[in-house]
């Protein structure tokens, strides 16, 4: 993860999520290739956890780029790279 541009890509997950580790690898690789930072948020412990659990509870892991959901459960690296190539909104 990087502080520079960290808010462009956000990976939402939670403890005990069996799909979160592979999703983390996809996000880290795509973000590195695109030259952007990324941030991981635990939906159960974040300050706005109630809203995040309501929104993403059954979908984690979820990835957003510039605030737009790009995928959930099994993340698609190509889709993520296309979204990142579009530049910030």
């Amino acid at each position: 993860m990087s502080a520079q541009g960290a808010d462009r890509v956000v990976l939402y997950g939670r403890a005990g999520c069996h799909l979160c580790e592979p999703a983390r690898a996809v996000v880290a690789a795509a973000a590195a290739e695109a030259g952007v930072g990324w941030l991981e948020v635990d939906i159960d412990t974040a300050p706005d956890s109630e809203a995040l659990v309501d929104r993403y509870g059954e979908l984690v892991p979820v990835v957003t780029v510039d605030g737009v959901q790009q995928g959930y459960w099994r993340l698609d690296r190509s889709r993520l790279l296309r979204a990142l190539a579009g530049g910030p909104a």
Side-chain angles (χ1 to χ4, degrees):
M1 287 183 272
S2 164
Q4 181 180 7
D7 58 349
R8 271 207 78 199
V9 180
V10 180
L11 175 65
Y12 295 94
R14 65 182 357 155
C17 165
H18 70 284
L19 295 175
C20 289
E21 188 61 36
R24 190 176 296 115
V26 168
V27 170
E33 185 173 332
V36 301
W38 63 283
L39 174 68
E40 185 169 359
V41 175
D42 184 320
I43 66 168
D44 295 313
T45 61
D48 54 347
S49 65
E50 189 173 327
L52 291 173
V53 169
D54 286 346
R55 185 169 187 177
Y56 300 126
E58 298 301 317
L59 299 177
V60 294
V62 174
V63 67
T64 63
V65 174
D66 300 324
V68 178
Q69 185 174 316
Q70 297 297 325
Y72 60 93
W73 295 335
R74 299 192 194 296
L75 303 183
D76 184 319
R77 181 176 166 275
S78 297
R79 181 177 181 173
L80 185 54
L81 285 170
R82 282 192 306 272
L84 288 167

